Amino acid sequence: MSMDETLYCPPRQPWRWVGWLLASQLLVAVLWGWLGWHWGLPAMLLSHALFLVPVFLPNSRFYGPVLSHWPQAGNRVWLTIDDGPSADTPALLALLARHQARATFFLIGQRAAAQPALVQAIIQAGHSIGNHSDSHPQAWWWAQGPKRLAAQIGQCQQRLATLSGQPPRWYRSVVGHTNPFVAAVLRRHGLTRVGWSARGYDGVARDPAAVLARIAPDLRSGAIVLLHEGGSPGQAVAVLEGVLQLLHQRGLRADIPG
């Protein structure tokens, strides 16, 4: 097994948080009964916050393992591009080819099914693909129950497996949110959750220079870089061009694990 193969880490204990939840509520009950509501109520609110806050932290391991850095990467950096395929995909592929760079495209299932030729183009160019949900319901992803999460991830997995010939092994949470029920679905499909260590907020910022300024300080060996496609016309290509130029200046190269 290569060093990169050890990066694959589907959750082994997806329900371990249940024990922590029960223990925390037992402690709250004891405090409430022993010291009264003056202590019990703050303890209850704190215990709820401890389980809610990790949902919104992209690199939190509270609900399961996540890759936030590429260990022992040498001079390599892992470029990850979310939300495709899109009209940007051909230009991104051409740009990556010119720089002899590789990336992982985290694809939305329904968009992939509507543009199968672009999925094939990504694979044939030597890049990898990952699961980024079937329809990308970003406003409510964090609050989904187990059935809807299973459908979103499972349907995307099935579509991408059909289009590419094999099921993806990487998963990227929608807007980075990971609620308590995600890990069980990832275990079922053998998926490894991928976070990031460098981002430029290109999903909200429209100025490529501002995006690059945010990415640059974290662009180092083993970085996992979060990029997006399908936004403002030309933005994704401009940002990727800037990132690739920075990598060249720093003696780094864009590659993918495996």
Side-chain angles (χ1 to χ4, degrees):
M1 179 181 292
S2 70
M3 187 63 67
D4 284 350
E5 286 290 324
T6 64
L7 294 176
Y8 294 103
C9 51
R12 294 182 179 179
Q13 297 176 306
W15 299 108
R16 64 179 182 176
W17 61 271
V18 174
W20 299 341
L21 177 63
L22 294 175
S24 70
Q25 298 314 295
L26 177 61
L27 178 60
V28 168
V30 169
L31 285 174
W32 202 303
W34 183 28
L35 300 173
W37 70 269
H38 296 88
W39 286 87
L41 181 59
M44 181 182 69
L45 295 175
L46 177 60
S47 71
H48 289 181
L50 289 174
F51 286 87
L52 180 61
V53 170
V55 169
F56 303 100
L57 302 178
N59 292 327
S60 172
R61 291 171 170 79
F62 190 87
Y63 290 118
V66 59
L67 288 174
S68 58
H69 184 77
W70 188 358
Q72 300 183 333
N75 69 335
R76 296 178 295 173
V77 165
W78 188 358
L79 296 183
T80 64
I81 304 174
D82 287 10
D83 296 352
S86 73
D88 292 327
T89 304
L92 294 174
L93 292 175
L95 181 57
L96 290 166
R98 286 200 300 273
H99 286 264
Q100 297 182 318
R102 296 199 296 170
T104 297
F105 288 75
F106 284 94
L107 304 180
I108 297 170
Q110 293 179 6
R111 295 180 185 175
Q115 303 179 84
L118 291 181
V119 179
Q120 289 296 319
I122 292 170
I123 300 297
Q124 291 171 3
H127 308 290
S128 61
I129 61 174
N131 186 318
H132 195 40
S133 83
D134 198 49
S135 65
H136 201 269
Q138 63 184 38
W140 46 264
W141 184 255
W142 66 275
Q144 288 307 286
K147 182 177 292 187
R148 288 190 176 181
L149 282 171
Q152 280 283 337
I153 296 172
Q155 288 170 4
C156 181
Q157 192 75 351
Q158 183 177 10
R159 293 184 198 270
L160 297 183
T162 299
L163 292 169
S164 68
Q166 61 182 6
R169 292 190 287 179
W170 306 120
Y171 163 80
R172 167 68 53 72
S173 291
V174 176
V175 294
H177 296 167
T178 299
N179 79 15
F181 307 114
V182 169
V185 185
L186 301 187
R187 177 181 174 87
R188 191 179 312 148
H189 293 286
L191 286 164
T192 297
R193 181 162 60 105
V194 181
W196 55 79
S197 61
R199 69 178 302 184
Y201 294 91
D202 52 344
V204 293
R206 300 305 178 196
D207 179 10
V211 172
L212 288 169
R214 295 187 184 101
I215 293 175
D218 299 316
L219 203 58
R220 57 177 66 93
S221 171
I224 301 177
V225 184
L226 171 63
L227 302 173
H228 294 84
E229 60 176 301
S232 300
Q235 180 188 14
V237 176
V239 170
L240 179 60
E241 176 72 58
V243 169
L244 292 170
Q245 289 177 358
L246 283 173
L247 291 178
H248 178 72
Q249 293 168 10
R250 298 179 185 187
L252 301 169
R253 63 186 179 93
D255 203 355
I256 56 177

